[in-house]
Amino acid sequence: FFFTQNSENNMSGKPNVLVLGGTGFIGRNLVQYLVENNLANKIRSVDKSLVSTSNLGAGHAQAFEAPNVQAMQATLTSEAGVKKAYTPDEGDEPFDIIFNLAAETKYGQTDEVYEEKVFRLSEKVAKAAVEFGCKKFIEVSTAQVYAEGKKPSKEDAKLNPWTSLAKYKLKAEQSLKAMDGLPLVIVRPAIVYGPGDV
């Protein structure tokens, strides 16, 4: 994983982690994984949905109650919401690792919705990552950016998004790659499913 220098406010040497889209399906599982494996000093989960209304399973709910987990509601399509998400609590170190899982993932939305809630959202949170000095920014995209085919796609396979969502995810990837000072990692999961996928 990733370890930091010990400081007055973080003697564990473990990173402070910000999970954007933290109550969504992947986000809640990531938070649970980080807690159960004791991988982070502090975890902040930020989502437009409240934890109390997110229909969490027992394991997820228990993870969100851990003393090093903070759940925050914020709208990441607004500058104020992004600043709120990134600003550490008084006395805390900034976030070392940012996972961007926040996006409109429903199919059949208009281009305007995907432009704002996929592309622009990714740009805003990535710019904030640079401003706040994060050490690693993980953009979670989609394998739907690859051209359709019968064989598995490799990382350098031909790109030809086949859904509107993927079109805006790829546009976000390209914008983030061009952003100066962003310590970027892009992951492109295929179909994500498992316990708690409702």
Side-chain angles (χ1 to χ4, degrees):
F1 199 57
F2 180 89
F3 292 91
T4 64
Q5 295 287 352
N6 289 350
S7 69
E8 185 178 319
N9 298 320
N10 180 357
M11 295 303 292
S12 71
K14 295 175 186 169
N16 290 332
V17 178
L18 178 58
V19 181
L20 304 172
T23 62
F25 179 65
I26 299 174
R28 67 181 65 185
N29 282 288
L30 177 59
V31 169
Q32 183 177 356
Y33 181 82
L34 292 170
V35 169
E36 289 178 350
N37 292 283
N38 196 25
L39 294 173
N41 177 57
K42 179 171 185 168
I43 303 162
R44 178 182 287 170
S45 165
V46 180
D47 205 294
K48 65 183 179 283
S49 301
L50 292 168
V51 171
S52 60
T53 62
S54 294
N55 217 13
L56 300 180
H60 301 128
Q62 186 176 358
F64 275 84
E65 292 172 7
N68 65 329
V69 175
Q70 176 188 31
M72 176 183 286
Q73 184 182 28
T75 302
L76 297 173
T77 54
S78 79
E79 300 291 342
V82 173
K83 184 175 181 182
K84 176 182 173 184
Y86 274 84
T87 302
D89 290 336
E90 190 173 329
D92 283 353
E93 302 281 330
F95 293 98
D96 302 294
I97 303 174
I98 316 311
F99 287 91
N100 182 26
L101 301 158
E104 177 57 67
T105 57
K106 292 182 186 124
Y107 294 104
Q109 303 297 310
T110 64
D111 283 346
E112 292 79 16
V113 169
Y114 292 128
E115 175 80 19
E116 179 187 1
K117 296 184 177 182
V118 175
F119 174 61
R120 296 285 174 214
L121 185 151
S122 288
E123 279 194 325
K124 285 177 185 169
V125 299
K127 286 176 183 172
V130 172
E131 290 169 20
F132 280 84
C134 87
K135 295 180 176 82
K136 196 64 65 185
F137 183 88
I138 296 95
E139 174 72 9
V140 180
S141 185
T142 176
Q144 295 169 7
V145 299
Y146 294 114
E148 291 184 79
K150 295 185 189 270
K151 295 182 180 179
S153 297
K154 293 185 178 181
E155 188 174 337
D156 60 353
K158 181 181 176 188
L159 300 175
N160 186 15
W162 47 277
T163 65
S164 293
L165 170 62
K167 179 173 100 176
Y168 287 95
K169 281 288 194 180
L170 182 59
K171 186 177 175 182
E173 286 184 26
Q174 293 165 338
S175 177
L176 270 51
K177 285 179 186 178
M179 202 172 284
D180 286 340
L182 182 66
L184 178 64
V185 173
I186 297 170
V187 294
R188 295 173 175 158
I191 298 170
V192 180
Y193 63 96
D197 184 12
V198 290

